[in-house]
């Protein structure tokens, strides 16, 4: 037996060595699936299979890179010849090779979401439609869902059911927008993310010789996170494996949480029907979490009916019981979680990076941010603005995109008047309209401006065209770093940012320098064969959400993120917050059993991110849409077997707050009726009444101008003025979120911070 197989358990060995025919590996959370996939590929190569004949599809570039590095340690440099990467990166590579079959240029641009929205915004405006009815995000989502279901623009327009749905939604022109959008993308030599999959399906459907070529090439097909695949991805992999039927899919139906992106859980649940000879191996041993965490996750997911049955277990220690925090309000929830992190870190000598706060929606982060800042706890919100989405970065990247692909209309719109060169929006609009009328690329108009545009504008555009032509010459002969350095200087971007001496301007200059550093590292990577600017642009455009999390230098900070963003990650200590009905589970996911089961799978994913300690929390009251509302504890809390839970209480020795909630010290729920412990207190939404037992006003006789205060409705603010004249004492406070308010102190429920 090969040495690396000795480190595997029996089901893992079976998964690694079962190489022929269809195989499904049902991999429970923390069950070592990455190790299994790595060793399976190594096993294939060790048994004489050429790396060129193996296709391994992942959902993040980071996962692909880690797997390739692990395989390389086992089999050596042969690992570099495996076709491995995300669906989008692998099929973008195939589409570049076969570009002429579909009429695209080899260096087609890949539009990101901002590019797509900008193009749709232009089309909606040109068609004279109401952008409040035809909201760009809604239109893009409709187009994206259609492509993922392989419904093209012409089919969309011809489908009476789709048309009637659009009419009912008061968007009868949506099919026309879809057609124009696809036409404009094609003319711009651009594909959006969905096109990379849609066009691969079109390529294989229309060109059977091409399909046969890749079926013969990829004799072994492996797909990770199969539960997250959509129809388009499923059909591509099915077609590629049709000749050999050597397809291995790895996934966990209990972690299928991306239906809103088009993922179809039926792909994994019904896989056996597609392949009757299928062999199924279940990886059920969890190596990540304590026994209490694993058992908690099992007790919740057992409520789902639509699932592949498995029994996840662990040989790890029992660990601590699951902590449960009941807070009087969302602000208090933030304070209690921050206090718990402060205490635990101090008492156990941990890093901030050992902690993560997971919530259902990004809007929940505010109370945790404020509480963490008060205790000087470093934190980072995952899901904020990506480095490559910052304006100055997108501007420079757009120069590079237009240099490579002069049909790229969206890149042109960003750079033609940046830095300012006196070209107004009207002129830009006229250029695009003229190109559309003459059925020629936009570059045809720009590069021959004297023929189409008169006056001063024509001369400016001629100079711009000359600049771009010089960039194209550089790009053809120099590597990515030399090209971007030249473009950054010659375009005037570096000069523009250097002359801006504001704090923001300096930050933007530093970001440009960081981009140059990134390109330098790209070029100097010894394992990288292609060092052109086009190769760099493709790598940037294909970054996934998880890859973007790795852009910043790793630092010691508490991670705040949505549960969706946490998938695939793990933390020593995890706090799952906001566990209330209509929040988690979301109110929008209570319309059907399928939706509720997906929401329960989302909670399961959150629970299984924890290694050593898991804490759950909910609030009795929460501000939602500007109103203080009573909250009911999440049904997921009641689904956890009470023997795994205990109420949590921060240690009284922490000198942070004047009062702490009285939960009872380390008292297991099993000793009490769980429903009575979870039941929220009665709350009157009238703010003149007490909000909760845990939010009591400070001694307001001490209130002075300049003090920081907190209000249960308006949040944090600074006292501008205190007026003791008249029968009622009043204070004028400027709140961070609500602005200036004058409050009667007898009823305001202010607390001095």
């Amino acid at each position: 037996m090969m040495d690396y197989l000795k480190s595997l358990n029996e089901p893992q060995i079976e998964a690694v060595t079962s190489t022929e025919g269809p195989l499904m590996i049902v991999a429970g959370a923390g069950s070592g699936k990455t190790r299994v996939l790595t060793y399976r590929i190594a096993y294939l190569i060790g048994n004489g299979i050429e790396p060129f004949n193996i296709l391994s599809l992942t959902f993040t570039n980071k996962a692909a890179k880690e797997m390739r590095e692990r395989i390389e340690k086992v089999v050596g440099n042969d690992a570099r010849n495996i076709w491995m990467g995300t669906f989008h990166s692998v099929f973008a590579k195939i589409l570049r090779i076969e570009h002429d079959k579909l009429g695209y240029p080899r260096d087609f641009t890949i539009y990101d979401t901002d590019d797509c929205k900008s193009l749709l915004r232009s089309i909606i405006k040109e068609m004279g439609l109401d952008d409040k009815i035809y909201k760009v995000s809604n239109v893009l989502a409709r187009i994206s869902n259609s492509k993922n279901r392989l419904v093209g623009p012409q089919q969309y327009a011809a489908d009476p059911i789709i048309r009637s749905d659009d009419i009912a939604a008061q968007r009868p022109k949506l099919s026309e927008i879809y057609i124009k959008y696809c036409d404009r993308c094609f003319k711009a030599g651009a594909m959006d993310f969905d096109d990379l999959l849609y066009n691969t399906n079109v390529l294989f459907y229309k060109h059977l010789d091409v399909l046969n070529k890749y079926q013969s090439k990829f004799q072994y097909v492996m797909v990770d996170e199969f539960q997250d695949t959509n129809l388009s991805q499923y059909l591509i992999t099915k077609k590629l494996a049709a000749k050999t039927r050597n397809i291995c899919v790895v996934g966990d139906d209990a972690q299928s949480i991306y239906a809103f992106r088009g993922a179809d859980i039926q792909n994994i649940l019904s896989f056996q029907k597609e392949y009757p000879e299928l062999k199924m191996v279940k990886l059920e041993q969890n190596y990540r979490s304590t026994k209490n965490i694993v058992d908690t996750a099992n007790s919740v997911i057992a409520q789902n009916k639509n699932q592949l049955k498995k029994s996840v277990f662990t040989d790890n220690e029992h660990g601590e019981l699951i902590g449960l925090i009941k807070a009087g309000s969302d602000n208090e929830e933030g304070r209690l979680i921050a206090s718990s992190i402060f205490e635990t870190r101090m008492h156990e000598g941990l890093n901030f990076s050992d902690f993560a706060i997971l919530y259902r929606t990004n809007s929940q982060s505010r109370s945790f941010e404020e509480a963490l800042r008060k205790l000087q706890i470093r934190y980072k919100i995952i899901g904020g603005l990506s480095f490559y989405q910052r304006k100055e970065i997108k501007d420079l990247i757009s120069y590079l995109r237009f240099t490579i692909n002069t049909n790229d209309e969206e890149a042109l719109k960003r750079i033609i008047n940046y830095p300012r060169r006196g070209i107004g929006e009207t002129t830009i609009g006229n250029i695009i309209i003229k190109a559309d009328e003459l059925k020629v690329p936009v570059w045809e108009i720009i590069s021959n401006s004297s023929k189409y545009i008169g006056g001063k504008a024509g001369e400016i555009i001629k100079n711009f065209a000359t600049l771009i032509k010089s960039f194209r010459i550089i790009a053809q002969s120099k590597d990515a770093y030399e090209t971007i350095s030249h473009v950054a200087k010659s375009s005037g971007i570096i000069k523009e940012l250097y002359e801006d001496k504001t704090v923001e301007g300096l930050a933007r200059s530093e970001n440009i320098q960081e981009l140059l550093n990134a390109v330098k590292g790209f070029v100097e990577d010894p394992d990288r064969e292609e060092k052109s600017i086009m190769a760099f642009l493709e790598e940037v455009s294909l970054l996934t959400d998880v890859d973007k999390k790795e852009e910043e230098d790793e630092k010691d900070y508490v991670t705040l993120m949505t549960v969706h963003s946490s998938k695939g990650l793990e933390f020593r200590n995890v706090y799952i917050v906001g566990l209330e009905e209509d929040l988690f589970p979301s109110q929008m996911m209570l319309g059907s059993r399928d939706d509720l089961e997906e929401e329960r799978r989302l909670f399961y994913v959150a629970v299984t991110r924890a290694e050593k300690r898991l804490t759950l929390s909910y609030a009795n009251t929460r501000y939602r849409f500007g109103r203080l509302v009573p909250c009911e504890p999440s049904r997921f809390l009641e689904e956890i077997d009470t023997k795994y839970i205990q109420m949590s209480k921060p240690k009284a020795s922490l000198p942070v707050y004047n009062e702490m909630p009285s939960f009872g010290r380390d008292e297991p729920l099993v000793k009490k009726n769980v429903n009575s412990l979870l039941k929220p207190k009665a709350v009157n939404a009238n703010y003149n009444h007490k909000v909760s037992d845990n939010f009591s006003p400070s001694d307001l006789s001490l209130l002075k101008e300049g003090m920081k205060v907190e209000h249960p409705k308006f949040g944090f603010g600074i006292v501008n003025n205190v007026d003791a004249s008249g029968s009622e004492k009043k204070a004028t406070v400027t709140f961070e979120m609500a602005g200036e308010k004058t409050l009667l102190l007898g009823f305001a429920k202010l607390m001095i911070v």
Side-chain angles (χ1 to χ4, degrees):
M1 181 180 288
M2 299 180 184
D3 287 344
Y4 57 81
L5 295 181
K6 295 176 183 177
S7 64
L8 305 179
N9 62 35
E10 286 188 20
Q12 288 175 333
I13 292 172
E14 186 179 8
V16 167
T17 57
S18 300
T19 60
E20 304 305 306
L23 172 70
M24 178 190 287
I25 303 172
V26 181
S31 61
K33 70 169 176 117
T34 303
R35 175 184 290 188
V36 168
L37 277 171
T38 298
Y39 289 165
R40 191 173 193 274
I41 294 173
Y43 186 83
L44 284 168
I45 295 172
N47 281 277
I49 304 302
E50 286 289 340
F52 294 101
N53 298 137
I54 300 171
L55 172 64
S56 179
L57 297 169
T58 64
F59 267 77
T60 69
N61 293 297
K62 179 173 176 278
K65 182 181 178 184
E66 287 177 357
M67 280 180 58
R68 195 185 299 276
E69 288 171 351
R70 289 194 195 184
I71 296 166
E72 198 167 334
K73 288 178 181 176
V74 180
V75 302
N77 291 340
D78 276 351
R80 300 178 188 180
N81 299 324
I82 303 163
W83 278 63
M84 179 182 290
T86 64
F87 277 90
H88 294 92
S89 64
V90 168
F91 297 123
K93 184 176 180 180
I94 289 175
L95 288 170
R96 291 202 191 280
I97 294 170
E98 312 294 344
H99 66 96
D100 56 317
K101 307 288 193 306
L102 297 177
Y104 281 87
R106 182 179 179 276
D107 16 351
F108 60 80
T109 300
I110 299 173
Y111 277 176
D112 64 15
T113 302
D114 285 349
D115 297 320
C116 298
K117 288 182 175 180
S118 175
L119 176 55
L120 283 171
R121 207 171 283 116
S122 298
I123 292 170
I124 291 166
K125 184 177 180 181
E126 290 163 15
M127 292 176 67
L129 301 174
D130 186 342
D131 60 7
K132 292 183 178 62
I133 295 174
Y134 291 89
K135 290 182 179 177
V136 169
S137 55
N138 293 344
V139 173
L140 181 58
R142 185 76 164 164
I143 291 173
S144 177
N145 289 336
S146 298
K147 287 182 181 178
N148 286 332
R149 290 183 288 109
L150 300 181
V151 178
Q154 304 300 334
Q155 185 182 348
Y156 185 102
D159 191 309
I161 296 175
I162 292 175
R163 299 281 292 126
S164 64
D165 285 346
D166 286 344
I167 291 169
Q170 297 184 320
R171 294 193 295 248
K173 298 286 186 181
L174 217 151
S175 60
E176 291 181 44
I177 296 173
Y178 188 6
I179 291 170
K180 283 181 180 289
Y181 172 79
C182 292
D183 183 54
R184 292 275 277 275
C185 283
F186 183 75
K187 285 179 179 175
M191 296 188 198
D192 62 25
F193 254 54
D194 299 314
D195 284 329
L196 296 176
L197 303 178
Y198 179 84
N199 285 334
T200 301
N201 273 292
V202 171
L203 177 69
F204 289 163
Y205 177 76
K206 289 189 173 181
H207 301 276
L208 295 180
D209 57 326
V210 176
L211 174 60
N212 183 62
K213 170 183 169 182
Y214 289 101
Q215 284 177 334
S216 300
K217 182 177 184 63
F218 301 133
Q219 295 173 18
Y220 293 85
V221 177
M222 291 198 286
V223 186
D224 192 12
E225 303 287 4
F226 190 66
Q227 76 280 351
D228 293 332
T229 55
N230 58 34
L231 175 64
S232 185
Q233 292 163 326
Y234 173 76
L235 289 178
I236 291 171
T237 52
K238 179 184 172 184
K239 287 173 185 173
L240 287 174
K243 186 173 286 188
T244 65
R245 294 178 79 81
N246 290 332
I247 182 170
C248 169
V249 300
V250 185
D252 180 7
D253 59 297
Q255 297 186 66
S256 178
I257 59 173
Y258 292 120
F260 69 96
R261 291 184 184 173
D264 188 352
I265 193 175
Q266 291 304 320
N267 289 349
I268 192 167
L269 294 179
S270 305
F271 194 68
Q272 194 162 9
K273 294 178 183 177
E274 192 69 45
Y275 298 92
E277 74 275 34
L278 177 77
K279 180 173 186 176
M280 184 183 295
V281 177
K282 296 181 180 180
L283 306 182
E284 297 171 305
Q285 183 169 357
N286 181 299
Y287 292 93
R288 175 189 300 154
S289 308
T290 65
K291 195 172 192 322
N292 278 323
I293 292 171
V294 169
D295 290 344
T296 294
N298 287 341
S299 69
V300 172
I301 203 64
Q303 308 295 321
N304 275 8
K305 295 181 180 178
N306 201 15
Q307 62 175 303
L308 298 169
K309 293 294 182 184
K310 58 185 174 297
S311 301
V312 178
F313 68 96
T314 185
D315 289 337
N316 293 342
E317 62 184 356
H318 275 79
E320 296 183 14
L321 293 176
I322 310 306
L324 177 61
I325 292 177
K326 177 174 69 172
S329 67
D330 46 353
N331 286 334
E332 184 185 65
E333 182 184 36
R335 293 197 295 271
L336 294 174
I337 298 296
S339 295
S340 175
I341 292 172
F342 185 95
E343 292 174 0
T344 305
R345 177 175 173 272
M346 294 296 289
H347 291 162
E348 299 183 15
L350 302 176
N351 296 318
F352 288 130
S353 56
D354 290 321
F355 299 86
I357 300 174
L358 309 183
Y359 35 71
R360 182 62 179 81
T361 65
N362 278 309
S363 62
Q364 291 171 252
S365 70
R366 179 197 59 79
S367 63
F368 302 102
E369 289 186 74
E370 291 173 353
L372 292 169
R373 280 200 300 267
K374 278 170 76 172
L375 293 181
Q376 297 183 327
I377 295 174
R378 290 194 299 273
Y379 68 90
K380 181 179 177 185
I381 297 179
I382 302 299
L385 190 64
S386 160
F387 177 78
Y388 288 101
Q389 293 300 316
R390 290 168 180 155
K391 181 186 181 301
E392 61 277 9
I393 302 300
K394 287 211 72 171
D395 289 336
L396 182 49
I397 291 288
S398 293
Y399 264 102
L400 300 172
R401 277 174 37 182
F402 195 70
T403 296
I404 297 300
N405 174 16
T406 50
N407 292 332
D408 188 340
E409 184 181 311
E410 292 308 307
L412 171 67
K413 287 192 289 190
R414 285 193 78 96
I415 67 173
I416 194 168
N417 196 40
Y418 178 77
R420 291 188 181 278
R421 50 176 61 91
I423 302 174
E425 287 190 17
T426 302
T427 302
I428 299 169
N430 288 338
I431 291 171
I432 294 171
I433 291 169
K434 191 72 174 177
D436 197 42
E437 286 175 356
L438 297 176
K439 307 295 182 190
V440 296
V442 172
W443 180 243
E444 169 67 24
I445 307 295
I446 291 172
S447 59
N448 297 284
S449 58
S450 56
K451 179 179 176 182
Y452 298 104
I453 304 163
K456 184 180 178 182
E459 188 63 29
I460 295 172
I461 290 170
K462 180 182 177 182
N463 293 336
F464 172 73
T466 301
L467 185 70
I468 297 300
K469 288 174 184 176
S470 72
F471 292 168
R472 288 175 67 79
I473 293 170
I474 295 291
Q476 289 165 8
S477 58
K478 304 292 184 181
D479 64 30
Y481 180 72
E482 292 174 292
T483 302
I484 193 171
S485 297
H486 178 80
V487 171
K489 292 172 187 173
S490 301
S491 65
I493 287 180
I494 285 182
K495 181 175 182 289
E496 171 102 352
L497 295 177
Y498 178 76
E499 291 175 350
D500 183 354
K501 300 302 183 184
T502 64
V503 174
E504 293 79 7
L506 291 172
R508 286 193 283 268
S509 291
E510 289 172 0
N511 287 337
I512 290 293
Q513 189 56 54
E514 186 57 37
L515 176 62
L516 294 174
N517 294 340
V519 181
K520 186 73 170 174
F522 174 88
V523 168
E524 292 180 349
D525 184 348
D527 295 332
R528 195 177 300 282
E529 294 179 12
E530 181 64 60
K531 301 179 187 294
S532 68
I533 199 66
M534 191 182 86
F536 176 75
L537 290 175
E538 174 150 321
E539 180 163 293
V540 169
S541 67
L542 292 171
L543 286 175
T544 66
D545 293 344
V546 172
D547 298 318
K548 288 171 184 173
K549 295 182 187 71
E550 304 301 316
E551 290 165 5
E552 306 287 347
D553 292 334
E554 289 196 16
K555 294 178 182 176
D556 187 23
Y557 51 74
V558 175
T559 299
L560 277 67
M561 61 184 359
T562 64
V563 182
H564 279 103
S565 298
S566 74
K567 188 154 182 288
L569 304 177
E570 55 191 47
F571 301 90
R572 181 184 176 92
N573 301 284
V574 169
Y575 296 83
I576 307 174
V577 300
L579 281 165
E580 298 136 31
E581 285 294 297
D582 297 337
L583 184 56
F584 199 0
S586 166
Q587 188 175 22
M588 294 186 292
M589 299 295 283
L590 299 176
S592 68
R593 192 183 79 186
D594 286 348
D595 285 346
L596 179 58
E597 291 202 350
E598 168 138 343
E599 200 74 353
R600 189 177 285 112
R601 292 194 295 270
L602 186 62
F603 181 58
Y604 176 85
V605 166
V607 169
T608 54
R609 297 312 92 200
E611 296 174 350
K612 296 293 186 183
R613 183 184 288 109
L614 174 65
T615 305
L616 314 175
S617 72
Y618 69 97
N620 280 341
T621 61
R622 184 176 296 276
Y623 279 97
R624 302 192 72 180
F625 310 109
R627 279 192 317 118
L628 183 67
V629 296
C631 301
E632 180 184 348
S634 170
R635 68 190 68 192
F636 299 151
L637 291 173
E638 297 183 5
E639 291 171 358
I640 300 172
D641 192 316
T642 56
K643 67 185 179 184
Y644 303 126
I645 299 182
Q646 70 178 11
M647 295 300 279
S648 295
K649 179 181 178 179
K651 293 177 175 59
S653 61
L654 184 64
V656 180
Y657 302 115
N658 292 329
E659 71 271 346
M660 289 291 181
S662 53
F663 287 136
R665 186 178 304 275
D666 296 339
E667 186 175 5
L669 281 181
V670 72
K671 292 183 180 178
K672 292 191 177 183
N673 181 293
V674 66
N675 291 323
S676 68
L677 281 169
L678 295 178
K679 187 176 179 181
K681 298 173 183 178
V683 175
N684 189 328
N686 183 336
Y687 303 124
N688 291 335
H689 291 292
K690 189 172 182 181
V691 176
S692 81
D693 289 346
N694 299 307
F695 193 103
S696 57
S698 309
D699 183 358
L700 296 181
S701 64
L702 303 175
L703 197 67
K704 296 178 183 178
E705 181 179 341
M707 281 185 168
K708 187 170 184 179
V709 294
E710 184 178 7
H711 185 275
K713 177 181 178 183
F714 303 128
F716 291 97
I718 301 294
V719 177
N720 296 336
N721 179 53
V722 178
D723 182 4
S725 63
S727 58
E728 298 284 358
K729 192 172 184 179
K730 294 180 287 189
T732 304
V733 182
T734 299
F735 293 96
E736 293 174 1
M737 304 296 291
E740 188 176 286
K741 303 285 181 184
T742 299
L743 307 170
L744 294 174
L745 296 185
F747 300 93
K749 303 299 181 191
L750 282 177
M751 185 169 68
I752 298 171
V753 178

